[in-house]
């Protein structure tokens, strides 16, 4: 199972396979890193606007500023981060409401920063060979090794999160570039400059634009492009299945569970579900169990009201651990990504044909570029590291 927490795993280009088939083929241990060597000088000297301040948008702005390029970031929401949002109130460590794991070698963090003097991999914690996963089915519980059943090269941030990483190493250098509460609804690239219009009617112009909004935004038609998309891109957008996404976190007064808990529906063609120790590797006395769900499994939870969701999760746990969940439950927290106005869902399904993300990554004309977890020219998507790599690819294209 390649569960991720709104950021999946590891790929190289294998044209005959979908991404999911490659992940489960056992060939996915090769980390896909950034280019890591963007040119320090470029012939392009114009202005670039980046639409969106999630991982791809922040990475794009960061790399462009490193090149001395004039750049502006237009973010629809009131804060940056997108689907790496976290919560600092529920526990005494950051709770990752979206992307949580690092699915490739930790050196990816240095690559994103694109500065050889930075060494930040010590912020990551790995799973141990002795860690267990419990499988609950029909009221019966069995145990097996966690590694490599689910987590192989995967690591977690200790005392921080993906958002903390960006806030520490990327945002300080681009914070003055970000204009918040600026929802772009039109991109006109028919003239000498690219002209963008926001929901209030204000306009912005640049020589080139990098679009980093989630794929669901394009599927909903929230942004009108003029000239519009080509038939192949429209077909790719229409063919793409973007999984629904919901994460929840449950605090208990004691730890009765192993590092992860799987079920018969933990990995299916149309979704995934996993319970996991969200406090793993943290310096905390709190017992926090995470509920990760995407696709049909997320939609099952999303159809429930809050009380029903709590009852469902506790019943699943009680059935596997002799009623321990209900007797030790303290409180919970839910993040429904389908309700986020500028996300609308989780990410492109694991089983998508890689030609979808490749088609979506192509520039529109010669001045509108795309970067993000669904716009990748390589057979890997739906992760922070894939979004960052696609940003590096887009910046390289802009500089050319």
């Amino acid at each position: 199972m390649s569960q991720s927490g709104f950021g999946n795993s590891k790929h190289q280009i294998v044209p005959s396979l979908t991404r999911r088939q490659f992940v489960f083929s056992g060939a996915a241990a090769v980390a896909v890193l950034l280019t890591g060597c963007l040119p320090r000088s470029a012939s392009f000297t114009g202005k670039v606007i980046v639409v969106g301040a999630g991982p791809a948008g922040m990475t794009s702005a960061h790399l462009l500023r490193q090149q001395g390029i004039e750049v502006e970031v237009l973010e629809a929401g009131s804060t940056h981060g997108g689907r790496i949002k976290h919560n600092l109130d529920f526990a005494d460590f950051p709770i990752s409401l979206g992307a949580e794991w690092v699915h490739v070698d930790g050196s990816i963090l240095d690559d994103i920063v694109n500065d050889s003097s930075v060494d930040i991999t010590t912020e990551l914690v790995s799973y141990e060979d002795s860690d267990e996963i419990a499988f609950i089915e029909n009221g019966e519980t069995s145990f097996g090794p966690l590694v490599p059943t689910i987590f192989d090269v995967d690591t977690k941030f200790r005392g921080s999160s993906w958002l903390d990483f960006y806030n520490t190493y990327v945002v300080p250098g681009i914070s003055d570039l970000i204009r918040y509460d600026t929802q772009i609804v039109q991109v006109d690239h028919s003239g000498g400059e690219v002209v963008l219009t926001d929901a209030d009617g204000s306009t912005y112009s640049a020589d080139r634009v990098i679009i980093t909004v989630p794929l669901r935004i394009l599927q909903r038609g929230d942004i009108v492009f003029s000239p519009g998309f080509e038939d192949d891109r429209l077909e790719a957008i229409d063919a793409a299945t973007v999984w629904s996404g919901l994460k929840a976190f449950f605090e208990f007064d004691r730890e009765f569970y192993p590092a992860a808990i799987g079920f018969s529906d933990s990995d299916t063609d149309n979704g995934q579900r996993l319970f996991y120790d969200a406090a793993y590797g943290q310096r905390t006395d709190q017992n926090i169990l995470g509920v990760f769900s995407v696709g049909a499994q997320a939609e099952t939870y999303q159809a429930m009201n809050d009380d029903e969701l709590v009852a469902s999760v506790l019943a699943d746990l009680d059935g596997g651990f002799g009623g321990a969940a209900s007797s030790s439950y303290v409180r919970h927290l839910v993040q429904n990504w389908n309700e986020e106005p500028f996300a609308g869902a989780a990410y492109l399904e694991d089983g998508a044909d890689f030609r979808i993300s490749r088609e979506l990554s192509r520039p529109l004309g010669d001045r509108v570029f795309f970067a993000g977890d669904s716009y990748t020219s390589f057979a890997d998507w739906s992760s922070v590291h894939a979004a960052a790599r696609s940003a590096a690819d887009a910046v390289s294209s802009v500089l050319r």
Side-chain angles (χ1 to χ4, degrees):
M1 176 179 175
S2 69
Q3 78 81 50
S4 71
F6 306 162
N8 267 334
S9 46
K10 325 102 189 171
H11 259 274
Q12 60 187 15
I13 296 177
V14 183
S16 62
L17 298 179
T18 65
R19 176 180 179 276
R20 183 175 181 275
Q21 288 170 329
F22 181 67
V23 168
F24 293 112
S25 72
V30 179
V32 182
L33 302 180
L34 298 182
T35 55
C37 54
L38 288 173
R40 285 294 175 179
S41 62
S43 58
F44 175 74
T45 57
K47 178 182 177 180
V48 179
I49 287 180
V50 177
V51 179
M58 291 187 289
T59 303
S60 296
H62 172 72
L63 296 175
L64 285 165
R65 175 158 266 189
Q66 283 184 332
Q67 308 307 314
I69 301 298
E70 181 183 0
V71 58
E72 183 176 17
V73 182
L74 305 180
E75 165 57 40
S78 58
T79 187
H80 57 271
R83 284 165 291 163
I84 58 172
K85 177 181 177 182
H86 68 197
N87 176 286
L88 300 177
D89 300 321
F90 189 74
D92 56 6
F93 60 92
I95 293 289
S96 295
L97 300 173
E100 183 162 355
W101 287 269
V102 179
H103 299 295
V104 290
D105 187 88
S107 60
I108 190 68
L109 302 181
D110 302 294
D111 291 339
I112 293 172
V113 178
N114 197 41
D115 186 341
S116 60
S117 66
V118 176
D119 182 12
I120 48 187
T121 57
T122 55
E123 297 182 358
L124 302 177
V125 57
S126 301
Y127 289 91
E128 303 291 339
D129 290 341
S130 58
D131 291 328
E132 288 188 315
I133 179 171
F135 294 95
I136 302 175
E137 187 170 10
N138 299 322
E140 298 293 328
T141 305
S142 58
F143 294 85
L146 179 66
V147 181
T149 307
I150 295 177
F151 300 112
D152 188 359
V153 300
D154 305 78
T155 54
K156 290 189 65 175
F157 290 94
R158 174 178 285 145
S160 62
S161 66
W162 269 116
L163 182 57
D164 284 320
F165 161 73
Y166 273 90
N167 282 341
T168 300
Y169 297 102
V170 175
V171 173
I174 64 169
S175 59
D176 61 313
L177 307 177
I178 305 175
R179 185 190 295 266
Y180 295 102
D181 300 310
T182 306
Q183 181 186 2
I184 296 302
V185 296
Q186 184 173 2
V187 176
D188 186 344
H189 58 108
S190 63
E193 293 183 311
V194 184
V195 179
L196 300 90
T197 305
D198 69 17
D200 296 325
S202 298
T203 59
Y204 313 83
S205 60
D207 298 285
R208 294 175 187 176
V209 170
I210 301 177
I211 305 293
T212 71
V213 300
L215 176 55
R216 180 55 58 85
I217 302 303
L218 298 188
Q219 289 184 324
R220 294 194 315 215
D222 292 0
I223 302 176
V224 175
F225 291 83
S226 180
F229 291 146
E230 318 90 324
D231 289 344
D232 287 348
R233 194 189 309 264
L234 288 172
E235 290 174 5
I237 291 173
D238 185 61
T241 296
V242 180
W243 272 343
S244 298
L246 180 143
K247 289 180 76 176
F249 297 87
F250 284 71
E251 182 177 6
F252 298 97
D253 62 21
R254 64 184 185 275
E255 183 179 340
F256 57 85
Y257 45 83
I261 303 167
F263 305 90
S264 59
D265 67 343
S266 280
D267 177 57
T268 66
D269 289 339
N270 60 357
Q272 297 171 355
R273 178 171 75 116
L274 183 80
F275 295 0
Y276 65 96
D277 183 0
Y280 185 94
Q282 307 300 324
R283 299 180 180 92
T284 181
D285 293 327
Q286 290 182 268
N287 305 302
I288 311 292
L289 189 71
V291 175
F292 162 83
S293 63
V294 291
Q297 288 83 322
E299 291 166 8
T300 297
Y301 286 133
Q302 289 164 340
M304 302 175 182
N305 63 36
D306 192 66
D307 289 341
E308 290 169 339
L309 189 151
V310 171
S312 175
V313 170
L314 294 181
D316 280 342
L317 291 169
D318 284 342
F321 298 98
S326 292
S327 64
S328 59
Y329 166 75
V330 177
R331 56 181 180 148
H332 70 283
L333 170 71
V334 177
Q335 172 66 44
N336 183 349
W337 281 97
N338 289 37
E339 295 180 347
E340 292 290 330
F342 305 121
Y347 51 76
L348 180 64
E349 66 169 336
D350 281 358
D353 190 309
F354 89 95
R355 288 170 292 188
I356 289 177
S357 63
R358 184 177 63 181
E359 177 64 36
L360 296 177
S361 72
R362 291 192 305 103
L364 178 61
D366 58 1
R367 286 174 296 168
V368 179
F369 302 83
F370 293 85
D373 65 303
S374 296
Y375 317 119
T376 61
S377 60
F378 43 90
D380 187 11
W381 53 86
S382 301
S383 67
V384 178
H385 73 261
R389 182 186 173 192
S390 76
D393 289 347
V395 168
S396 294
S397 296
V398 166
L399 296 180
R400 287 197 294 268

